[in-house]
């Protein structure tokens, strides 16, 4: 029996083509920003050149996750993406936990992207004008960029996705060219290094306590976000799985090459780990400060695209949870443009307030960016683990379970849990507050899910909203 209307009525359904869906995943992943910053963060963390091995391992894990996600996205259309997928495999309580983890993931990624963009913008401005000391310039930049990104998001998913893709294409081109110039300069000045430089990571290829591997996984987060636009895209059951898989694979190739190149660059320029952007500092030393400014411009553009794509995914998740009553139902309403405008405003306000507050407390922009991305990645990892565990149960429910999806889900889940556990243990021993913050937020999500299950069992039982063909679709 067909419903009179779709459960996601209000969104502009079946309007986006494959390019916009691809743009969503590419923008949210932000390969250019990740290529330019993630190996540098690993360099700062370990005090040694980053290991390409960590990025290769992360690529394998993420491809396994994408395979589990594909088991759902080939069979159902849901703007809640991983949250709704988890509900179909593990039930409403697990989905509520996954939803909380993904809100942390998307929200902190938006906050981190805004922080990275504002930091790059301030660095560019200070090259041509006297800088203002303190965190205020970066905070102002975060606020202004937040308003800009929210404005594009309210105008519609297609607008924000195309903006993100355009910025990312330009940014990747800039990063590849500048990195190539820096690598050539390093070869010219220091000669060809021993191959172990690319893989060793200073004796810790996965970083202290596995944090290097966690940072490598950070570079991929958002790759699955094409699923958030499934209801708004044409032919979602074929387009979304392909986009998710190829975004993960292509990004992984770029990251491995970028990490290998930066291992060589940083090997010849030790002592730059404390710089706000180690790669830009290395480019200034090896080549030309002007190229460093061009690189920062590319990173700025990529971070803006990342904030836009991640905000789109976050808003669709909150929209779904609002429709189900898991969060206030007002957040599940859409405006004339087919976007959940109130959800955009609330999500943007929180994504701006968190980094602004941290910066005003005296934390440096570089540490703030690194911390926000670590917390966000921990949220994503929690969501990824649950959707991987859900895949075999979902396939069993519909009578399509075979051995390979079980093996893939088990390996991916164990790998992600091992990384998260090792990082948490290291953080406890080393006083790493950001990972502990992430652990506390995820624990709160578990507590909230249990409380919701006890107090509103009927609501939890109904979680798992997805798009369905309606009578209006058939008759129109």
């Amino acid at each position: 029996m067909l419903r009179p209307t779709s459960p996601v009525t209000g969104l502009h359904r079946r309007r986006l083509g494959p390019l916009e869906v691809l743009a969503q995943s590419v923008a949210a992943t932000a390969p250019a920003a990740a290529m330019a910053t993630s190996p540098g963060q690993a360099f700062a963390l370990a005090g040694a050149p980053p290991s390409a091995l960590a990025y290769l391992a992360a690529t394998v894990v993420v491809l396994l996750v994408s395979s589990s996600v594909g088991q759902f996205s080939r069979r159902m259309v849901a703007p809640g993406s991983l949250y709704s997928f988890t509900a179909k495999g593990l039930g409403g309580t697990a989905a509520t936990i996954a939803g909380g983890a993904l809100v942390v993931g998307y929200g902190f990624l938006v906050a981190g992207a805004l922080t990275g963009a504002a930091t790059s913008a301030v660095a560019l401005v200070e090259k041509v004008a006297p800088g203002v000391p303190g965190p205020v310039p970066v905070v102002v930049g975060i606020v202004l960029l937040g308003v800009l990104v929210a404005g594009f998001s309210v105008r519609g998913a297609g607008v924000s996705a195309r903006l993100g893709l355009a910025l990312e294409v330009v940014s990747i081109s800039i990063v590849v060219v500048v990195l190539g110039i820096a690598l050539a300069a390093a070869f010219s000045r220091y000669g060809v290094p021993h191959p172990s430089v690319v893989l060793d990571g200073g004796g810790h290829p996965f970083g202290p306590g596995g944090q290097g591997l966690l940072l490598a996984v950070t570079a991929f987060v958002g790759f699955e976000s094409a699923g958030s636009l499934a209801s708004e895209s044409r032919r979602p059951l074929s387009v979304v799985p392909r986009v998710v898989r190829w975004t993960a694979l292509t990004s992984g190739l770029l990251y491995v090459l970028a990490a290998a190149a930066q291992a060589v660059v940083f090997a010849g320029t030790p002592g730059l780990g404390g710089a706000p952007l180690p790669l830009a500092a290395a480019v200034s030393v090896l080549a030309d400060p002007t190229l460093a400014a061009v690189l920062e411009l590319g990173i700025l553009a990529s971070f803006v695209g990342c904030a836009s794509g991640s905000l789109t995914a976050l808003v669709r998740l909150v929209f779904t949870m609002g429709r189900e009553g898991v969060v206030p139902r007002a957040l599940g309403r859409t405006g004339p443009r087919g976007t959940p405008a109130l959800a955009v405003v609330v999500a943007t306000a929180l994504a701006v307030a968190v980094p602004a507050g941290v910066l005003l407390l005296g934390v440096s922009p570089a540490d703030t960016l690194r911390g926000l991305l670590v917390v966000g990645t921990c949220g994503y990892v929690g969501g990824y683990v649950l959707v991987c565990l859900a895949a075999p149960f979902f396939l069993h429910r519909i009578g399509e379970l075979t051995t390979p999806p079980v093996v893939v889900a088990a390996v991916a889940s164990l790998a992600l849990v091992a990384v998260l556990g090792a990082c948490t243990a290291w953080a406890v021993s080393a006083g790493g507050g950001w990972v502990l913050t992430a652990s506390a937020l995820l624990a709160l999500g578990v507590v909230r899910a249990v409380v919701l299950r006890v107090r509103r069992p009927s609501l939890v039982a109904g979680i798992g909203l997805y798009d369905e063909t309606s009578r209006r679709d058939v008759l129109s």
Side-chain angles (χ1 to χ4, degrees), residues 8-88:
V8 299
T9 294
L11 297 177
H12 284 170
R13 300 166 64 233
R14 309 292 183 263
R15 296 193 180 187
L16 302 180
L19 183 62
E20 286 90 352
V21 178
L22 172 65
Q24 169 60 32
S25 271
V26 171
T29 308
M35 289 166 63
T37 61
S38 181
Q41 290 169 350
F43 179 39
L45 180 68
S51 169
L53 190 61
Y55 291 86
L56 181 60
T59 301
V60 173
V61 173
V62 170
L63 284 172
L64 293 176
V65 175
S66 74
S67 177
S68 290
V69 173
Q71 301 298 341
F72 294 95
S73 59
R74 287 195 296 270
R75 295 172 171 89
M76 60 182 288
V77 175
S81 193
L82 307 191
Y83 162 70
S84 301
F85 296 163
T86 302
K88 295 305 178 185

Side-chain angles (χ1 to χ4, degrees), residues 23 37 51 65 80 83 114 124 158 182 203 205 207 211 220 242 246 262 315 322 328 336 338 384 415 429 442 462:
T37 61
S51 169
V65 175
Y83 162 70
L114 291 174
L124 286 169
Q211 284 225 25
F220 290 88
R242 286 203 299 269
W246 283 103
Q262 288 179 66
V315 166
Y384 292 162
S429 64
L442 295 179

Side-chain angles (χ1 to χ4, degrees), residues 340-448:
L342 180 59
V344 171
V345 172
V346 172
T348 304
L350 291 174
V352 167
V354 170
V358 172
L359 288 165
L360 291 174
L361 287 174
V363 181
S364 72
D367 287 341
T368 298
L369 173 59
R370 188 179 305 116
L372 292 170
L373 294 180
V374 165
V375 174
T377 301
C378 290
Y380 275 105
V381 168
Y384 292 162
V385 168
L386 287 170
V387 79
C388 287
L389 292 175
F393 291 93
F394 169 70
L395 293 174
H396 176 72
R397 278 185 54 204
I398 62 176
E400 297 181 18
L401 181 62
T402 57
T403 301
V406 176
V407 174
V408 167
V411 173
S413 300
L414 289 173
L416 291 171
V417 169
V419 171
L420 198 56
C423 290
T424 302
W426 178 85
V428 170
S429 64
W434 286 108
V435 173
L436 296 178
T437 298
S439 300
L441 289 172
L442 295 179
L444 285 175
V446 173
V447 171
R448 183 179 184 277

Side-chain angles (χ1 to χ4, degrees), residues 1-9 13-14 75-79 88 230-231 236-237 324 462 464-474:
M1 181 116 180
L2 296 178
R3 290 173 176 262
T5 59
S6 167
V8 299
T9 294
R13 300 166 64 233
R14 309 292 183 263
R75 295 172 171 89
M76 60 182 288
V77 175
K88 295 305 178 185
S231 294
L237 298 179
E324 295 172 334
L465 177 147
Y466 61 98
D467 200 355
E468 299 178 53
T469 301
S470 66
R471 288 202 292 268
R472 180 179 297 177
D473 294 328
V474 173

